[in-house]
Amino acid sequence: MIKWTLHSAIARFERAWGYDASYMHEMIDASPRAAWLFSRVAALGRFRRDVPIDAWCAAGLTAVRHEDCGPCTQLAVEMAERAGVSSAVLRAVLTDNAAAMPPDVALAWSFTRAALAHDPRADEYREAIVRLWGRRALVSLAFAMTAARLYPTVKYALGHGHACMRVVVGGEPLVFDQKGAQKGDQSGDQTGDHRRDHGRAAARRGSAVGTA
């Protein structure tokens, strides 16, 4: 009965978002308790206080892109779109085009990149976030990053990871090369830093896990 209930809930989610959650069905079959515990942990990604929705989505989207999971990134984009974030903002985040981001989004994007890279500049971004939105906003962004990275990690570990090669935003595709860089992207130095980080992450995974 418990398995049936969990499978039904996942099936509804798949229909609602057009998303393949086979890894969750496998997890449920292996251990319903494991699936329940995973859902409890992942729920922290729903915590958002005092931070604008577009900045919050930018943190999650930047973090999930860092993990190089195409289906996860596409799902994050669709959730952000349904939450009201504009396609222009999402494209700017996905292509690391800071000049095209509103200031709030650029701050969250810069903070996320710096935090993931263990860059000392995260300190100045963190201070700016607390000054602007407060401590609850900082926790919200930290949880958005953590939850966004949780799904790709589990999917790659269970053999369901797929590299981020193409994402549709506002009905238009964005295509990325094998190092995670947008094909034809001519962004500046900040973008280059991110691309290099992303490429290293992909290379590490590629040595141990076969991806599509």
Side-chain angles (χ1 to χ4, degrees), residues 29-54:
D29 287 335
S31 170
R33 178 168 173 75
W36 178 75
L37 288 172
F38 180 67
S39 69
R40 292 284 303 275
V41 173
L44 60 84
R46 294 198 293 268
F47 182 83
R48 182 174 72 89
R49 297 290 186 277
D50 306 332
V51 61
I53 185 68
D54 53 357

Side-chain angles (χ1 to χ4, degrees), residues 132-148:
L132 192 58
W133 300 315
R135 286 282 173 187
R136 295 200 305 183
L138 178 63
V139 173
S140 298
L141 293 175
F143 280 8
M145 281 186 253
T146 302

Side-chain angles (χ1 to χ4, degrees), residues 5 11 17 29 35 37 40 65 72 76 90 99 107 116 122 125 153-154 168 175 208:
T5 302
W17 294 99
D29 287 335
L37 288 172
R40 292 284 303 275
R65 277 279 289 123
C72 301
L90 294 173
L107 176 58
L116 294 179
Y125 299 135
T153 302
V154 169
V168 177
V175 180

Side-chain angles (χ1 to χ4, degrees), residues 41-183:
V41 173
L44 60 84
R46 294 198 293 268
F47 182 83
R48 182 174 72 89
R49 297 290 186 277
D50 306 332
V51 61
I53 185 68
D54 53 357
W56 184 68
C57 287
L61 189 56
T62 302
V64 78
R65 277 279 289 123
H66 186 271
E67 296 304 311
D68 193 27
C69 177
C72 301
T73 303
Q74 184 65 65
L75 182 60
V77 166
E78 293 182 13
M79 287 181 166
E81 287 177 331
R82 292 194 196 184
V85 181
S86 75
S87 297
V89 167
L90 294 173
R91 283 179 172 276
V93 172
L94 286 168
T95 58
D96 303 320
N97 185 356
M101 299 178 196
D104 288 355
V105 172
L107 176 58
W109 170 80
S110 298
F111 173 61
T112 302
R113 282 164 39 102
L116 294 179
H118 301 177
D119 187 328
R121 286 177 294 182
D123 292 341
E124 62 184 87
Y125 299 135
R126 186 180 305 106
E127 290 174 5
I129 287 167
V130 172
R131 265 198 319 273
L132 192 58
W133 300 315
R135 286 282 173 187
R136 295 200 305 183
L138 178 63
V139 173
S140 298
L141 293 175
F143 280 8
M145 281 186 253
T146 302
R149 302 183 74 187
L150 185 62
Y151 294 98
T153 302
V154 169
K155 290 184 69 173
Y156 272 104
L158 296 180
H160 289 264
H162 296 283
C164 187
M165 305 296 290
R166 181 179 183 273
V167 177
V168 177
V169 182
E172 298 292 331
L174 281 176
V175 180
F176 301 89
D177 64 21
Q178 291 183 335
K179 292 184 178 180
Q182 184 195 1
K183 287 183 177 178

